[in-house]
Amino acid sequence: MVCFILPTHLLIELAEAGNIELRDAIPTLLASAALRAQRATLTEAIQFLGLDAAQLPAPAAEFKAVYDVQGGDERSLPGVMRRKEGDGAFSDPAVNDAFDNADRTYDFYRDVLGRHSVDGNGLKLISSVHFGRGFDNAFWDGTQMVYGDGSGKIFQPGALARDTSVVGHEITHGVVQYTAGLRYHKQSGALNESMADVFGSLVKQHTLGQSADQADWLIGGGILGTQLQGVALRSMKDPGTAHQLDRQPAHMRAYADLPDDGNPRNDNGGVHINSGIPNKAFYLTATRLGGNAWERAGRIWYDALATKLRVNSDFTEAAAATAASAQSLFGADAAGVVRASWNDVGVS
Ligand SMILES: [Zn+2]
């Protein structure tokens, strides 16, 4: 599973609307397809063959490293080592941005959720920057984070590795891979995407010290280029309002029942589209519980992800799982808030 921050269907729609040239989008589309074909087996091996993370190689003493893939593609990953744990800042801002945001994400998982890296066992966080040429995407490839530079049309140059919510989102795909393993398909895939947005936003909120009321609840806020017009890639507070092509629903009545037929336009059955519904449920829970979202709402969602959700869980199961986690962690009042929030987005 390769999880891109920019859904492929948006790339196609931008080309169709004339915002970008189709020929400019083709390298990104081809890279996406090649990566999918090449990397799918690793995730499947970990998740479906029941590999135990504890049996994997011993944790490295150095938790993070950033590489420069120097404009190369997936065959060149990870590239040339530029900065590792304990090193000072490097002369390339992209390297430092990827490093610092991986650090913030690592600290969030350790300090707030008691989780030691994506696998819970100290797996080294590897990032590569300068993927492709003007590549308008960032992704978790099943083993590491990868960041393109952005062309300026869809994302501002340098913005993907610089945005804490984007980095937190991508690293969380690794956490999902090693916990519930939510299949990247229809509702379980939309839950996978939503978990990545939830914890991507929480890493940013934790870094900035913002309460639920102060947070912007945006994924990729302020990083869009000239042709994707709006405030962010996604809004958890108001799904469907982030940019001109945003068609995320905020309620089940607008659920997009798309096929998972391999057509990139259909987004694995709407995984980046219907994620608006669980995103809104989390936003409602966090703001109703009040205070810092990571202290209660975040711990509830993480407990459900790590101990209750499974590969094929759907929205209804997620509602029940988060309510049960709320009950056990914080009692009946919190569970009531969780249930009411899911009910308000049409899930019960
Ligand atoms: Zn994603």
Side-chain angles (χ1 to χ4, degrees):
M1 166 178 86
V2 181
C3 302
F4 291 94
I5 194 75
L6 179 78
T8 310
H9 72 86
L10 269 182
L11 190 64
I12 294 171
E13 288 168 30
L14 281 167
E16 285 177 344
N19 293 85
I20 59 171
E21 295 290 333
L22 186 57
R23 66 172 175 273
D24 292 339
I26 283 172
T28 304
L29 288 169
L30 288 178
S32 308
L35 282 161
R36 270 199 199 95
Q38 183 184 332
R39 308 273 175 176
T41 52
L42 180 73
T43 304
E44 285 168 1
I46 292 168
Q47 275 301 319
F48 296 103
L49 300 181
L51 289 182
D52 181 352
Q55 303 294 320
L56 295 174
E62 298 167 344
F63 296 135
K64 297 177 299 294
V66 179
Y67 293 74
D68 181 354
V69 67
Q70 299 177 301
D73 62 17
E74 66 276 9
R75 292 164 297 187
S76 307
L77 289 172
V80 181
M81 161 83 83
R82 295 298 196 208
R83 184 175 171 186
K84 64 182 187 316
E85 199 72 43
D87 289 351
F90 188 69
S91 54
D92 178 353
V95 168
N96 296 325
D97 287 340
F99 188 92
D100 291 344
N101 279 320
D103 200 37
R104 290 166 181 143
T105 306
Y106 177 87
D107 287 352
F108 169 81
Y109 274 101
R110 182 194 58 200
D111 297 345
V112 176
L113 302 172
R115 185 178 186 84
H116 186 29
S117 192
V118 296
D119 65 341
N121 194 37
L123 187 77
K124 192 169 177 177
L125 293 177
I126 309 263
S127 310
S128 293
V129 297
H130 303 310
F131 181 88
R133 302 279 176 197
F135 188 75
D136 273 310
N137 231 326
F139 57 94
W140 163 262
D141 80 344
T143 63
Q144 68 161 94
M145 285 73 65
V146 184
Y147 303 97
D149 291 332
S151 67
K153 291 181 177 174
I154 299 178
F155 293 110
Q156 295 167 20
L160 288 165
R162 193 165 61 231
D163 188 278
T164 306
S165 66
V166 168
V167 174
H169 175 107
E170 292 310 328
I171 293 175
T172 299
H173 277 307
V175 174
V176 173
Q177 174 180 317
Y178 281 97
T179 52
L182 292 157
R183 188 178 166 212
Y184 215 56
H185 165 82
K186 296 200 169 185
Q187 286 197 14
S188 56
L191 287 171
N192 189 323
E193 270 303 313
S194 179
M195 288 290 176
D197 281 351
V198 161
F199 293 104
S201 181
L202 290 185
V203 173
K204 178 177 168 183
Q205 293 176 36
H206 183 249
T207 300
L208 296 175
Q210 291 178 328
S211 67
D213 288 339
Q214 294 167 329
D216 62 16
W217 296 97
L218 299 173
I219 303 301
I223 70 168
L224 301 185
T226 56
Q227 299 302 307
L228 194 57
Q229 289 118 17
V231 295
L233 194 52
R234 286 184 287 280
S235 168
M236 301 180 69
K237 179 179 183 176
D238 291 309
T241 67
H243 54 76
Q244 85 271 25
L245 295 174
D246 186 359
R247 51 185 166 122
Q248 281 207 305
H251 191 282
M252 282 302 286
R253 71 171 78 90
Y255 181 82
D257 192 10
L258 297 167
D260 181 9
D261 57 2
N263 181 342
R265 192 186 302 276
N266 291 326
D267 185 32
N268 295 83
V271 300
H272 293 89
I273 297 169
N274 293 313
S275 55
I277 294 167
N279 277 358
K280 181 77 187 241
F282 182 81
Y283 163 79
L284 290 172
T285 297
T287 49
R288 287 166 178 175
L289 289 175
N292 296 322
W294 62 86
E295 289 178 0
R296 288 194 287 171
R299 286 182 57 203
I300 291 166
W301 253 243
Y302 176 73
D303 185 69
L305 175 70
T307 70
K308 295 183 170 60
L309 296 178
R310 299 180 186 285
V311 170
N312 288 315
S313 292
D314 62 12
F315 290 1
T316 299
E317 291 170 48
T322 50
S325 292
Q327 176 75 41
S328 62
L329 289 171
F330 301 109
D333 288 353
V337 169
V338 170
R339 273 191 291 271
S341 298
W342 283 104
N343 283 337
D344 286 351
V345 299
V347 177
S348 56

